[in-house]
Amino acid sequence: MLRYMTAGESHGKCLVAILEGVPRGVKLDQKLINLQLKKRQMGYGRGKRMKLEPDKVKILSGVRKGYTTAGPITLFIENKDKTLDRLPPVTCPRPGHADLAGMLKYNIHDARDILERASARETAARVAVGAACRLFLAEFGIDIFSHTKYICDVNAQIKQLSFEDIKRNASKSAINCADKYAESLMLRRIEQVKRKGDTAGGGFEIIVLNLPPGLGSCMHYDRKLDGRLAFELMSIQAIKGVEFGLGFEGARLPGSRFHDAIYLKGKKIVRKTNNAGGIEGGMTNGEPLRVTCAMKPISTLMNPLDSIDIKKKIAKKAAVERADVCALAAASVVGENVAAFVLAQAMLEKFGGDSVSETIRNYKGYMNSFKF
Ligand SMILES: Cc1cc2nc3c(=O)[nH]c(=O)nc-3n(C[C@H](O)[C@H](O)[C@H](O)COP(=O)(O)O)c2cc1C
């Protein structure tokens, strides 16, 4: 069983993750992990913190001469801003953030300890974990990328684009958007909300190619891959909805227009559509995985909403912390890497293996065993 745990505060000394269960022999290229960490810090609309030096991972255990040993992998990211002990208390909770619920839960007047841990800075550790899992998935040719579908009311048009185009265009975009025209409107919208001291949310789609069919299970609720992906993706800060394929829009359609009819092309099973997003019955069905995450607007507003001072019991504006105006591009990098973890877990459950060569052998045996 692949599993991990993270520790660390937003302005503390560091973030740490321990990832356990990666088989022996995966080439863990630190540069590729750092690339994902760098991508997480980029994107138009980010706050000043992102202008600090890029995050870099130190691998403290579980890797020898660049290859995993099968032991627990410790991933360490030093914080550039370690001012935790000097930061002021936060007594005016920000609507939308964890502040008020955390103050009530822990019975405290200062939300500092809450927000330091609730902050999306924690996602740096999750990205490092996911980036390591991606390197394992790459052994099977599994490719993960994402693109921004909408920011506020501006939608990208990607219907005419191939996966290759989506991946290439998005990677060149300041906001991870594959549609150049929509990108310019999105950037303008971010500027507009920023000028008003406001924030923006949106939606991004994660696409995964070359997954084998049969990951996950239809046999028990907690083995279903869509449920597991939805849980992990919803646990990303500010993600408030997860849709597979056509998602909520598909719920309005009759079955005849929604479901993906099955055909034979020679001896190959094919679909002409992928409205299911690559998962049926809690299992991958051989089509590309397509999952969209909806991110709510950032909670810290430079023009703050009404709140109260919990200590003084008086009306006050909400606290203002250094913050992003829009973090869609960053959230999509987090989403990709969180999905990578779940998919690596599902691959290991299906194919097992104490060494990656054993996993590959089992994978090949399965892929060659289809009777169709
Ligand atoms: C990549 C990323 C960056 C974020 N940056 C900020 C930020 O700068 N300021 C902020 O208030 N919230 C930010 N958030 C969202 C908060 O962390 C999140 O809203 C908060 O922890 C409460 O959790 P919830 O929205 O899941 O309920 C960010 C989220 C992500 C994924």
Side-chain angles (χ1 to χ4, degrees):
M1 177 68 169
L2 191 66
R3 56 187 178 158
Y4 75 94
M5 191 172 262
T6 71
E9 286 78 28
S10 181
H11 300 89
K13 292 185 182 69
C14 63
L15 290 155
V16 183
I18 297 183
L19 172 63
E20 196 265 335
V22 178
R24 183 180 174 83
V26 179
K27 187 165 192 277
L28 223 60
D29 189 338
Q30 208 155 317
K31 276 198 222 106
L32 294 177
I33 300 178
N34 286 336
L35 182 67
Q36 293 298 319
L37 289 173
K38 190 173 171 197
K39 281 174 77 180
R40 193 202 71 94
Q41 290 179 289
M42 287 171 15
Y44 197 82
R46 306 303 307 282
K48 290 206 176 78
R49 182 167 199 161
M50 300 311 148
K51 304 218 160 57
L52 296 173
E53 208 184 310
D55 283 328
K56 292 233 162 70
V57 72
K58 275 189 191 147
I59 302 175
L60 301 186
S61 74
V63 175
R64 192 166 145 254
K65 296 183 179 174
Y67 289 85
T68 56
T69 62
I73 300 168
T74 307
L75 301 161
F76 171 91
I77 303 161
E78 191 177 353
N79 276 339
K80 301 290 171 327
D81 181 349
K82 303 178 203 166
T83 47
L84 182 57
D85 288 341
R86 280 175 276 137
L87 288 172
V90 175
T91 56
C92 303
R94 293 161 297 169
H97 219 295
D99 306 353
L100 179 60
M103 286 160 127
L104 296 172
K105 179 175 169 66
Y106 294 100
N107 200 11
I108 43 176
H109 287 158
D110 173 11
R112 175 60 63 192
D113 290 346
I114 308 301
L115 62 104
E116 283 292 326
R117 188 64 192 144
S119 154
R121 175 77 190 131
E122 185 260 353
T123 61
R126 284 204 258 179
V127 165
V129 164
C133 293
R134 262 174 122 107
L135 296 172
F136 167 71
L137 294 173
E139 302 270 358
F140 307 86
I142 295 167
D143 186 18
I144 306 179
F145 53 97
S146 66
H147 68 100
T148 297
K149 271 176 108 167
Y150 55 94
I151 285 182
C152 300
D153 56 342
V154 184
N155 294 303
Q157 302 300 334
I158 56 143
K159 279 212 169 89
Q160 311 303 327
L161 299 181
S162 65
F163 285 138
E164 220 169 280
D165 290 338
I166 293 172
K167 188 175 172 180
R168 191 189 48 243
N169 294 359
S171 72
K172 288 187 196 153
S173 158
I175 194 75
N176 199 32
C177 180
D179 172 355
K180 198 98 193 100
Y181 177 64
E183 182 198 30
S184 63
L185 299 180
M186 287 173 184
L187 297 183
R188 212 180 305 160
R189 185 66 84 249
I190 293 172
E191 279 309 310
Q192 280 165 355
V193 295
K194 187 178 175 184
R195 271 201 296 279
K196 291 184 188 151
D198 213 332
T199 59
F204 61 87
E205 183 182 38
I206 302 163
I207 301 175
V208 188
L209 305 180
N210 304 328
L211 286 170
L215 296 184
S217 175
C218 61
M219 294 299 175
H220 205 255
Y221 71 89
D222 58 356
R223 295 183 191 279
K224 290 181 182 236
L225 191 65
D226 45 0
R228 287 163 55 185
L229 278 164
F231 161 64
E232 299 271 350
L233 291 167
M234 283 284 283
S235 80
I236 300 171
Q237 288 80 342
I239 299 303
K240 293 297 145 199
V242 175
E243 301 174 277
F244 290 86
L246 259 195
F248 299 151
E249 195 193 322
R252 298 176 196 278
L253 296 178
S256 55
R257 284 176 53 205
F258 177 78
H259 297 299
D260 308 305
I262 304 169
Y263 301 93
L264 275 178
K265 194 175 175 188
K267 285 191 175 163
K268 231 180 132 203
I269 300 168
V270 292
R271 310 277 185 117
K272 290 180 185 166
T273 53
N274 183 17
N275 293 335
I279 299 196
E280 290 169 309
M283 298 166 288
T284 49
N285 62 5
E287 297 297 311
L289 175 70
R290 300 190 73 155
V291 48
T292 297
C293 298
M295 182 180 194
K296 75 183 187 187
I298 298 287
S299 334
T300 308
L301 273 61
M302 293 304 136
N303 184 10
L305 288 172
D306 290 342
S307 182
I308 53 170
D309 186 309
I310 293 276
K311 208 167 177 185
K312 296 183 185 154
K313 302 282 182 299
I314 51 168
K316 265 211 154 167
K317 289 290 178 187
V320 178
E321 290 270 308
R322 183 173 54 190
D324 302 322
V325 176
C326 176
L328 233 285
S332 56
V333 176
V334 180
E336 283 178 32
N337 287 291
V338 164
F341 167 73
V342 181
L343 295 170
Q345 217 181 29
M347 285 289 285
L348 280 167
E349 277 164 19
K350 175 117 188 76
F351 302 113
D354 293 306
S355 64
V356 71
S357 54
E358 190 183 350
T359 317
I360 290 171
R361 198 173 66 220
N362 297 344
Y363 164 84
K364 283 186 178 161
Y366 170 75
M367 295 303 276
N368 292 331
S369 72
F370 290 115
K371 295 192 180 79
F372 306 103

